[in-house]
């Protein structure tokens, strides 16, 4: 392995509560009746897809889809800056990877403008060789395009890349791209491990043997 590519949400930052709160606040204000059945479906969508999903079910008139998406993004950024939420051990783990000669990439379904806020908050902005958002490819995860583009920009063949993911859709994207997958659980027993080559529960005190 020559490169390690990180997912962001759930791997670098525990952002799911922020997205849930922001989406509830914004969509509820527009008359959307959110429920658990549908919010479980939107967890792995891009912000564009989520906004259109709710608009199709509860169309509003006062704002464009782009304006609503921006409202959600800005609220998530506020929450990250206020609360943080970075995953324990992420900074020392990435430092260790860099010192061992790995190239480091980031591939996320989240909008690009959120990425610098997360990386700065986690103290790891200077360690990434490439950062990539799904907004720059036709389809987000589980489509493999974002991982293929990241490996291309890193200059590393997909088979020499290992991906750290916490979601089934993200793991599927990485496997379709021909990469090895580490399932990061962070203590979550509900992570689907069926596509994973390796499992990692924590970045703390973790050896790099699976990356060799």
């Amino acid at each position: 392995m020559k490169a390690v590519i990180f997912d962001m949400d759930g791997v670098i930052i525990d952002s799911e509560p922020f997205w849930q709160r922001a989406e509830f606040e914004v969509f509820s204000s527009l008359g959307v009746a959110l429920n658990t059945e549908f919010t479980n479906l939107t967890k792995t969508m891009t912000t564009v897809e989520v906004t259109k999903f709710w608009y199709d079910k509860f169309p509003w008139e006062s704002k464009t889809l782009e304006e609503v998406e921006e409202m959600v993004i800005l609220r998530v950024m506020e929450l990250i800056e206020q609360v943080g939420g970075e995953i324990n051990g992420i900074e020392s783990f990435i430092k260790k990877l860099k010192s061992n000669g790995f190239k480091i990439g980031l591939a996320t379904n989240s909008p690009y403008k959120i990425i610098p806020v997360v990386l700065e908050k986690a103290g790891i902005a200077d360690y990434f060789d490439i950062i990539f958002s799904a907004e720059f490819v036709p389809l987000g995860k589980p489509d493999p395009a974002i991982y293929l583009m990241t490996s291309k920009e890193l200059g590393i063949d997909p088979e020499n890349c290992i991906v750290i993911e916490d979601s089934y859709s993200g793991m599927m994207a990485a496997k379709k791209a021909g990469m090895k997958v580490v399932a990061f659980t962070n203590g979550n027993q509900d992570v689907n491990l069926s596509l994973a080559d390796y499992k990692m529960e924590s970045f703390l005190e973790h050896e790099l043997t699976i990356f060799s």
Side-chain angles (χ1 to χ4, degrees):
M1 296 295 108
K2 298 179 180 178
V4 180
I5 304 174
F6 288 78
D7 175 40
M8 188 172 76
D9 296 289
V11 174
I12 290 175
I13 187 168
D14 183 15
S15 55
E16 185 175 323
F18 302 152
W19 285 105
Q20 289 177 344
R21 179 173 170 181
E23 289 174 10
F24 179 81
E25 291 175 359
V26 172
F27 293 124
S28 293
S29 73
L30 296 166
V32 173
L34 288 85
N35 62 63
T36 304
E37 177 187 356
F38 289 146
T39 54
N40 284 335
L41 292 176
T42 62
K43 281 181 182 179
T44 59
M45 294 181 185
T46 65
T47 51
V48 172
E49 292 168 341
V50 172
T51 307
K52 187 175 186 308
F53 176 90
W54 289 117
Y55 179 79
D56 288 344
K57 295 194 176 300
F58 303 94
W60 55 80
E61 296 179 356
S62 57
K63 296 183 182 298
T64 67
L65 271 66
E66 291 78 12
E67 288 172 332
V68 173
E69 180 195 1
E70 185 71 2
M71 289 167 65
V72 173
I73 293 169
L74 291 176
R75 184 63 178 127
V76 171
M77 290 170 68
E78 281 181 2
L79 292 168
I80 291 170
E81 289 173 338
Q82 292 168 5
V83 182
E86 58 271 20
I87 301 294
N88 286 339
I90 185 64
E91 182 178 5
S92 60
F93 181 73
I94 289 183
K95 278 185 179 179
K96 190 182 292 186
L97 288 173
K98 286 296 274 189
S99 67
N100 278 267
F102 289 98
K103 286 195 172 183
I104 307 294
L106 178 75
T108 176
N109 267 3
S110 289
Y112 186 85
K113 68 192 304 178
I114 291 181
I115 298 173
V117 177
V118 171
L119 299 188
E120 288 291 341
K121 196 71 177 179
I124 55 176
D126 295 334
Y127 299 117
F128 285 83
D129 298 290
I130 291 294
I131 57 176
F132 230 94
S133 163
E135 69 182 74
F136 299 124
V137 292
L139 294 171
K141 305 170 190 177
D143 189 271
I146 187 170
Y147 279 121
L148 291 171
M149 186 62 71
T150 303
S151 68
K152 180 180 178 181
E153 293 296 318
L154 285 169
I156 304 292
D157 291 335
E159 59 265 30
N160 298 126
C161 296
I162 191 163
V163 169
I164 303 180
E165 272 280 0
D166 71 314
S167 72
Y168 183 81
S169 65
M171 293 181 214
M172 183 180 293
K175 294 300 285 186
K176 285 180 178 178
M179 301 177 180
K180 295 289 187 182
V181 174
V182 176
F184 181 72
T185 66
N186 197 31
N188 180 4
Q189 300 302 312
D190 296 326
V191 175
N192 188 325
L193 304 175
S194 61
L195 296 177
D197 297 289
Y198 309 99
K199 173 186 174 183
M200 182 188 296
E201 294 187 4
S202 169
F203 292 124
L204 299 170
E205 305 299 326
H206 200 284
E207 297 300 322
L208 301 182
T209 52
I210 64 176
F211 298 92
S212 60

